[in-house]
């Protein structure tokens, strides 16, 4: 699925966004004008991000990108390249060699994900079900994912 063009245009109250693993593309100007946005997590499923998708979202200081291959972007996807780009260990060179992603300050500090569900970059133990949906609390039974690893609750 895709986040459509201008979906969150000037949605000024959003501070953090974690794109679901069902998303494969982010549309043109999808988050344009989201001035309060300061952190963004993009799963490994995203392969392209549209032009001006994060225009005027200059308060994003941390991008967490779980794609091992840099998603396709243009020179105008971001209006500010001074943020920290966190990528999966071993993938920094691919981002650094990209003509646009290479403009960010790149840090290889993320673990690879389980079935496209990212490890929690903050380490606060967020849990997900096997479909990638965030859970409100740690389940007592069944299989769940926490920090990018599968667990079985008994």
């Amino acid at each position: 699925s895709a986040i459509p063009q201008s979906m969150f245009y000037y949605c000024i109250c959003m501070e953090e966004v974690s794109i679901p693993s069902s998303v494969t593309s982010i549309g043109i100007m999808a988050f344009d004008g989201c001035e309060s946005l300061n952190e963004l997590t993009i799963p490994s499923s995203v392969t392209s991000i549209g032009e001006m998708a994060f225009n005027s979202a200059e308060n994003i200081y941390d991008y967490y990108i779980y794609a091992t291959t840099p998603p396709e972007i243009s020179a105008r996807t971001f209006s500010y390249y001074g943020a920290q780009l966190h990528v999966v260990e071993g993938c920094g060179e691919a981002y650094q060699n990209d003509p646009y992603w290479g403009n960010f300050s790149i840090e290889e500090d993320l673990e690879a994900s389980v079935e496209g569900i990212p490890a929690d970059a903050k380490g606060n133990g967020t849990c997900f079900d096997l479909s990638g949906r965030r859970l409100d609390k740690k389940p007592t039974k069944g299989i769940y994912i926490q920090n990018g690893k599968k667990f079985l609750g008994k």
Side-chain angles (χ1 to χ4, degrees):
S1 69
I3 295 177
Q5 178 175 336
S6 302
M7 179 72 172
F8 299 102
Y9 183 74
Y10 275 89
C11 192
I12 60 172
C13 295
M14 280 194 295
E15 293 180 2
E16 294 181 14
V17 172
S18 185
I19 307 292
S21 60
S22 59
V23 172
T24 57
S25 66
I26 299 172
I28 296 169
M29 297 173 65
F31 293 91
D32 183 16
C34 294
E35 296 169 356
S36 297
L37 194 58
N38 59 45
E39 183 178 295
L40 179 70
T41 302
I42 299 176
S44 59
S45 58
V46 173
T47 58
S48 66
I49 303 172
E51 191 165 319
M52 297 175 65
F54 297 98
N55 190 50
S56 298
E58 295 175 358
N59 290 320
I60 301 177
Y61 297 110
D62 291 291
Y63 289 92
Y64 297 92
I65 314 289
Y66 286 88
T68 55
T69 300
E72 182 181 327
I73 64 173
S74 75
R76 294 179 27 160
T77 297
F78 304 95
S79 58
Y80 176 67
Y81 285 90
Q84 184 73 39
L85 184 68
H86 304 269
V87 300
V88 174
E89 292 176 358
C91 299
E93 186 175 349
Y95 283 88
Q96 192 62 54
N97 291 334
D98 184 272
Y100 308 121
W101 288 111
N103 291 317
F104 285 99
S105 174
I106 299 170
E107 191 170 328
E108 294 183 50
D109 58 354
L110 301 179
E111 294 181 18
S113 62
V114 175
E115 297 180 16
I117 300 168
D120 188 336
K122 290 183 178 178
N124 66 8
T126 304
C127 296
F128 299 87
D129 67 14
L130 292 179
S131 296
R133 294 180 295 250
R134 187 182 305 255
L135 303 174
D136 292 333
K137 61 181 182 174
K138 189 175 184 178
T140 56
K141 293 193 279 184
I143 299 172
Y144 62 96
I145 297 173
Q146 185 175 28
N147 289 326
K149 298 182 175 111
K150 289 183 186 178
F151 291 94
L152 176 62
K154 296 182 181 184

